[in-house]
Amino acid sequence: MAGFCGSGGIAFYGVEAQYALWPPLLLLAGMLPACALLFFARNAHRSFTRCHPFVEDFYRNDDKIRARKRKHAAWAAAMAIVCVGLAFFCFQTGPLQHLYGGLASLNIACACAGWLVVHATMNASRTDVAAYNRRHEERTAWEDSEARRLSLIAGRSDDGAGDVRPVDTDMFCRRVQEQRKAAAGIIMALSGIVALVMLFALHDPNWMLAPAIGALACIIAWIALPFIARPQR
């Protein structure tokens, strides 16, 4: 975002027309690796939780107290960094009359503050083993509730000979989950391609609408797929 704002001034005042592509390019250069990191980190976390659904609380009280102190110190440091960023923003947008430079400085400060807060919060939360086990119980309860809902949607099916038989709900749930993942991947890939075409080929300023519509389509597919995949009654 800092690169987006910093290059926005160059693109706005426009020494050359090619500079108009710099802000979205820098924005995509940050968004794409970030999404990839989140994807791999999420898969690694899910693999760990599947192998270790419950963890013994092996942290000492000193470890927990130290982690909480570091978290509070990180929050204080983050607030100080944001205040410095606001000071630079006011100085650059006031006496220097440089709005885009001020926005870039403010975003850099927010990024540093965000890193401190996230890192310290994660280090503190990992010592709360009880919360980890509680989240697993809540996730298990949600999965059971989702399985019951899908089993009600599946109901009973016709085997073709006029006999009505119960549906294998476990197989139906697995099939629905696989279809949901496949549909989400296809929809987001298509929306990303459309966004890139709108940005670089058509130079459409509304290119961000494509990912938003893709996210909305993913939600609709998530809700509708169980009814579409339901066996014929």
Side-chain angles (χ1 to χ4, degrees):
M1 290 301 299
F4 181 88
C5 295
S7 60
I10 300 174
F12 181 78
Y13 294 109
V15 178
E16 293 182 13
Q18 63 182 3
Y19 290 141
L21 291 176
W22 283 22
L25 279 176
L26 290 172
L27 185 63
L28 288 175
M31 290 175 59
L32 295 180
C35 292
L37 287 173
L38 286 174
F39 175 77
F40 289 114
R42 176 61 178 168
N43 286 341
H45 180 69
R46 291 187 64 182
S47 299
F48 178 84
T49 55
R50 288 173 181 172
C51 296
H52 308 281
F54 291 94
V55 178
E56 294 289 338
D57 192 355
F58 57 90
Y59 287 103
R60 299 176 300 176
N61 288 332
D62 294 341
D63 298 330
K64 298 179 181 179
I65 293 172
R66 191 181 304 109
R68 285 196 294 268
K69 288 182 178 179
R70 289 177 178 175
K71 176 183 175 181
H72 297 155
W75 274 97
M79 293 177 64
I81 291 173
V82 170
C83 290
V84 172
L86 285 172
F88 272 96
F89 172 77
C90 294
F91 178 74
Q92 289 178 283
T93 56
L96 298 182
Q97 296 293 317
H98 198 299
L99 175 62
Y100 293 99
L103 290 173
S105 300
L106 182 60
N107 277 282
I108 291 173
C110 290
C112 296
W115 184 88
L116 280 174
V117 169
V118 170
H119 184 264
T121 301
M122 292 181 67
N123 281 332
S125 64
R126 72 177 181 178
T127 62
D128 193 356
V129 180
Y132 173 86
N133 295 330
R134 185 169 59 252
R135 285 194 297 269
H136 173 74
E137 294 175 354
E138 293 173 353
R139 185 169 58 252
T140 302
W142 180 85
E143 290 175 354
D144 293 341
S145 175
E146 180 69 8
R148 287 194 297 270
R149 189 181 72 86
L150 291 177
S151 65
L152 290 176
I153 294 174
R156 304 168 73 87
S157 63
D158 192 346
D159 61 1
D163 297 329
V164 177
R165 59 179 178 82
V167 174
D168 188 347
T169 55
D170 291 337
M171 184 179 297
F172 177 72
C173 292
R174 287 195 298 269
R175 185 169 69 249
V176 168
Q177 295 299 335
E178 291 173 357
Q179 290 178 353
R180 281 173 171 173
K181 292 178 182 179
I186 293 172
I187 291 172
M188 293 310 297
L190 289 176
S191 64
I193 293 172
V194 171
L196 292 175
V197 170
M198 292 174 63
L199 174 62
F200 296 108
L202 305 179
H203 304 289
D204 192 335
N206 299 318
W207 62 275
M208 286 295 292
L209 287 176
I213 295 174
L216 181 61
C218 287
I219 296 174
I220 295 174
W222 191 89
I223 297 172
L225 271 174
F227 298 94
I228 298 173
R230 180 176 56 182
Q232 295 295 324
R233 292 184 180 275

